[in-house]
Amino acid sequence: MASSAPERSSARQQQIVDVAGAILEAEGPDSLTMRRLASELGIKAPSLYKHFPDKSAVEIALIERGFRLWGERARQALIERGDRLTNLAVAYRSIAREHPHLYRIMTMGELDRSRIAPGLEEWSGAPIGELFADGETARAFWAFLHGMCILEIDHRFPPGANLDRAWANGLAVFRPQSTPPITTASS
Amino acid sequence: MASSAPERSSARQQQIVDVAGAILEAEGPDSLTMRRLASELGIKAPSLYKHFPDKSAVEIALIERGFRLWGERARQALIERGDRLTNLAVAYRSIAREHPHLYRIMTMGELDRSRIAPGLEEWSGAPIGELFADGETARAFWAFLHGMCILEIDHRFPPGANLDRAWANGLAVFRPQSTPPITTASS
DNA sequence: GTCTATAGTGGGATAGAC
DNA sequence: GTCTATCCCACTATAGAC
């Protein structure tokens, strides 16, 4: 598991993506238009095309940020004290709740893997693999995590549902399959 | 758990929703426009507004059909012979794979519950509740089902993943929590 | 229940000057 | 790197005749 994600873009591009992220978080993907983005930056829409070839390039940049955030937070979770399975789940849930629109654009629909930074997706997902000896059980756990997150932020659970308990119960069924942390003799 | 879902609409409305469903399945939600829908019906777009107040009413009708399909197939799964947990999972996965676009519009984003037939959503989801003594475990299982389905149809699992095994492993962790079927003395 | 005509909105994107 | 001007597109929806 590599420990850091690759990145490459100009300061101006980064600033544009910052603002795009702010619009996305505040008002959702429908509000993220080239006109609006330019307006928030104090420029006109056509000027954006000097920095990004098209709108989807901006969206891809946002998604890549999301993957970096996932990967970083998940790695923190694995080294914190306490149960690693729980820590990882809490980290994922927190990201989804804090940035629901970002979470949605990251996970919704098909993803053109040829457009995102090579290796980034795997890098961000690797921490889940660390928790299970069997890769297919790790994927089942990922499905549980994602299902809980997306159903929660979309308010799909029934009004009376106790989500903290649903999370706890789901973690409880997966926990016996999870592996303990590897500690070196010198630690 | 009630055994059938309510329904009410004219023959013409049903025909329109049939065609809308065909477009959706064939080409996805972006292709489902009022112009296109009318065109496939051999009429002009404005004529549709004699049958539905707006486009969202057509989409709601499609979503309601999806919920009825879910509820019916899930109920079949519970009375088939074999393991009920597995049967239910197979039923859900089959629907998602056979009708991926329908599955997406049913489950994507927030749902305005005031617009769908009262009780329909609960009716369609009730079979999952039948399988677990604890409601919050049932919701965790639902999250697993949905996560697996949506990640599969969106091709989010890594290329080498063995999804049949991921399903089997996930079902295996939930199975000890599931309840056996209730059989009457006369059966 | 269908039509024609059209309003109204909004979006992505390009050309070419500065 | 920014601007103005503009194109082109597509969509939802309404008004009013038949």
Side-chain angles (χ1 to χ4, degrees):
Chain A
M1 186 173 76
S3 61
S4 71
E7 178 156 8
R8 191 69 51 199
S9 71
S10 78
R12 186 58 163 154
Q13 283 174 326
Q14 278 185 258
Q15 185 199 8
I16 291 169
V17 178
D18 285 344
V19 173
I23 296 169
L24 176 70
E25 290 301 350
E27 304 180 32
D30 289 350
S31 294
L32 182 57
T33 67
M34 295 301 265
R35 293 186 208 283
R36 174 71 189 283
L37 177 54
S39 164
E40 297 276 342
L41 285 157
I43 62 177
K44 302 297 178 184
S47 306
L48 289 171
Y49 292 86
K50 300 289 181 180
H51 304 282
F52 291 90
D54 53 33
K55 187 190 178 187
S56 74
V58 179
E59 294 167 335
I60 293 288
L62 281 171
I63 290 171
E64 289 184 342
R65 283 194 175 190
F67 279 126
R68 291 195 189 91
L69 180 63
W70 267 17
E72 288 157 10
R73 297 274 286 266
R75 280 167 177 76
Q76 283 173 19
L78 293 190
I79 60 176
E80 279 166 7
R81 66 183 218 86
D83 177 66
R84 297 195 305 163
L85 196 77
T86 303
N87 292 347
L88 191 74
V90 167
Y92 269 72
R93 188 184 185 192
S94 299
I95 291 174
R97 293 170 70 157
E98 289 162 16
H99 311 284
H101 289 300
L102 179 62
Y103 187 89
R104 284 196 193 92
I105 68 163
M106 284 175 62
T107 59
M108 216 174 53
E110 307 200 24
L111 177 68
D112 185 349
R113 294 187 159 105
S114 70
R115 301 201 55 187
I116 66 165
L120 180 57
E121 192 185 9
E122 298 84 339
W123 177 84
S124 79
I128 295 180
E130 296 277 302
L131 282 178
F132 296 90
D134 182 278
E136 306 308 335
T137 307
R139 297 195 226 295
F141 182 65
W142 177 36
F144 163 70
L145 288 181
H146 173 57
M148 287 297 299
C149 285
I150 196 70
L151 293 172
E152 177 170 4
I153 67 179
D154 284 346
H155 304 110
R156 290 300 186 119
F157 288 109
N162 182 333
L163 297 193
D164 289 343
R165 274 205 62 193
W167 274 100
N169 291 4
L171 292 178
V173 303
F174 278 101
R175 187 167 292 111
Q177 305 301 319
S178 73
T179 56
I182 298 166
T183 53
T184 63
S186 62
S187 68
Chain B
M1 187 174 80
S3 60
S4 72
E7 178 155 9
R8 191 69 49 199
S9 69
S10 79
R12 186 57 163 155
Q13 283 174 325
Q14 280 186 258
Q15 185 199 9
I16 291 169
V17 179
D18 285 345
V19 174
I23 296 168
L24 176 70
E25 291 302 350
E27 304 180 29
D30 289 350
S31 295
L32 183 55
T33 69
M34 295 301 262
R35 292 186 208 281
R36 176 69 190 284
L37 177 54
S39 163
E40 297 275 341
L41 284 158
I43 62 177
K44 303 297 177 184
S47 305
L48 289 171
Y49 291 85
K50 299 290 183 179
H51 304 282
F52 290 90
D54 53 32
K55 186 191 177 186
S56 74
V58 179
E59 293 168 337
I60 292 288
L62 281 172
I63 290 171
E64 289 183 341
R65 282 194 175 189
F67 279 127
R68 289 194 190 90
L69 180 63
W70 268 18
E72 288 157 10
R73 296 274 285 267
R75 279 167 177 76
Q76 283 174 18
L78 292 191
I79 60 176
E80 280 167 6
R81 68 182 214 86
D83 178 66
R84 296 197 304 164
L85 197 76
T86 303
N87 292 348
L88 191 74
V90 167
Y92 269 70
R93 188 185 185 192
S94 299
I95 291 174
R97 293 170 68 158
E98 290 162 14
H99 311 283
H101 289 300
L102 179 62
Y103 187 89
R104 284 197 193 93
I105 67 164
M106 285 177 62
T107 58
M108 216 175 51
E110 307 199 25
L111 177 67
D112 184 351
R113 294 187 159 104
S114 71
R115 300 200 56 187
I116 67 165
L120 180 58
E121 192 185 9
E122 298 86 337
W123 177 83
S124 79
I128 295 180
E130 296 279 301
L131 282 179
F132 296 90
D134 182 277
E136 305 308 336
T137 307
R139 298 194 227 294
F141 182 66
W142 177 36
F144 164 70
L145 288 181
H146 173 59
M148 288 296 299
C149 287
I150 196 70
L151 293 172
E152 177 170 3
I153 66 179
D154 284 346
H155 304 109
R156 291 301 187 120
F157 288 109
N162 182 333
L163 297 193
D164 289 343
R165 274 206 62 192
W167 273 100
N169 291 4
L171 291 177
V173 303
F174 278 101
R175 188 167 292 111
Q177 306 299 319
S178 74
T179 56
I182 297 166
T183 53
T184 62
S186 63
S187 67

